[in-house]
Amino acid sequence: MTIRSRRETVTFRHPFRMRGIDRVLPAGAYEVVTDEETIEGLTFAAYRRVATMITVPAEGAGGMMEMLSIGSVDLANAQAADASIAND
């Protein structure tokens, strides 16, 4: 079984909440890492998502960061909520 990681930067224009994180996160750019593993036994390359993590500022620690496990659906919901907020 092979694992691959995909990194992307997502940007939130407004402070946001995400299920599984017990605090409001500030607006800004966040690195999201998605780990995927190969699906064995197929005649073509296919992968399944096994983990999604986001790097956020650590609570109460100036400049420190922490990586938290999140659900991909929760990330998509937070992005949709951020996009739906009217422009200031």
Side-chain angles (χ1 to χ4, degrees), residues 3-6 33-37 48-51 53:
I3 301 263
R4 69 179 183 184
S5 294
R6 186 170 39 92
V33 177
T34 303
D35 290 341
E36 301 169 321
E37 68 182 6
R48 97 174 107 238
R49 183 181 4 241
V50 294
M53 296 150 290

Side-chain angles (χ1 to χ4, degrees), residues 32-52:
V32 174
V33 177
T34 303
D35 290 341
E36 301 169 321
E37 68 182 6
T38 55
I39 300 172
E40 301 291 333
L42 301 176
T43 58
F44 56 91
Y47 292 84
R48 97 174 107 238
R49 183 181 4 241
V50 294
T52 303

Side-chain angles (χ1 to χ4, degrees), residues 10-25:
V10 296
T11 302
F12 289 92
R13 296 180 52 204
H14 307 91
F16 66 101
R17 291 180 96 51
M18 188 176 309
R19 194 174 126 219
I21 301 176
D22 61 351
R23 63 185 184 269
V24 175
L25 297 170

Side-chain angles (χ1 to χ4, degrees), residues 57-74:
E59 191 170 25
M64 300 285 290
M65 302 295 283
E66 62 182 329
M67 185 173 275
L68 302 174
S69 181
I70 59 171
S72 58
V73 171
D74 299 327

